[in-house]
């Protein structure tokens, strides 16, 4: 299984659509066997582009902090399971997911008054 998370350093990025990078963790036998960081700088607020990138990298689960409805839809349309409202160090968050203790907090963002990219 591969899990994708938007990251800012070693932390879960709290704004999915503005994350400049993602980590893709490969999980085998309930253990993290590798973590790769990929750039997403060119895809800021490109919901379908981000979904396609994560799918192409083999992710089946996306764990994120704050995320908007459009991004959730794009990810789910690509068959990705989305866990929202995560925070803290991404390795700990991945371990919580593997151990079944990470809760989907159903946090979504709405961006009233913000400039939307075309």
């Amino acid at each position: 299984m591969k899990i994708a998370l938007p990251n800012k350093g070693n932390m879960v990025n709290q704004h999915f659509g503005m994350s400049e990078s993602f980590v893709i963790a490969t999980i085998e036998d309930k253990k993290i066997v590798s973590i790769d960081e990929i750039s997403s700088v060119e895809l800021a607020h490109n919901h379908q582009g981000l979904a396609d990138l994560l799918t192409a990298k083999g992710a089946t689960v996306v764990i994120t902090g704050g995320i908007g409805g459009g991004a959730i839809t794009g990810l789910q349309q690509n068959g990705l399971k989305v866990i929202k409202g995560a925070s803290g160090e991404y390795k700990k968050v991945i371990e919580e997911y593997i151990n079944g203790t990470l809760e989907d907090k159903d946090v979504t963002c709405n961006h009233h008054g913000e400039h939307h990219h075309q």
Side-chain angles (χ1 to χ4, degrees):
M1 165 181 21
K2 289 190 177 184
I3 301 172
L5 298 92
N7 70 304
K8 191 168 194 171
N10 67 341
M11 306 297 280
V12 175
N13 189 328
Q14 291 304 298
H15 195 304
F16 177 87
M18 291 183 63
S19 189
E20 294 185 355
S21 61
F22 283 75
V23 291
I24 309 286
T26 302
I27 312 302
E28 292 176 8
D29 299 320
K30 294 196 170 198
K31 291 184 174 31
I32 301 170
V33 294
S34 68
I35 296 178
D36 297 312
E37 187 170 348
I38 58 172
S39 173
S40 59
V41 172
E42 302 296 321
L43 296 171
H45 285 287
N46 179 342
H47 301 147
Q48 195 58 52
L50 287 169
D52 291 344
L53 172 67
L54 300 178
T55 302
K57 295 294 182 180
T60 54
V61 176
V62 177
I63 302 172
T64 187
I67 185 169
I72 293 169
T73 300
L75 294 169
Q76 291 174 337
Q77 286 176 343
N78 276 37
L80 295 160
K81 179 178 180 178
V82 181
I83 308 293
K84 302 168 292 299
S87 62
E89 292 182 32
Y90 66 75
K91 282 185 184 176
K92 289 181 181 174
V93 169
I94 294 166
E95 288 167 1
E96 288 176 18
Y97 180 78
I98 293 168
N99 295 328
T101 58
L102 184 66
E103 293 181 30
D104 184 345
K105 297 187 176 72
D106 204 24
V107 175
T108 55
C109 300
N110 57 24
H111 300 289
H112 295 291
E114 284 192 13
H115 171 75
H116 288 278
H117 302 276
Q118 298 294 325

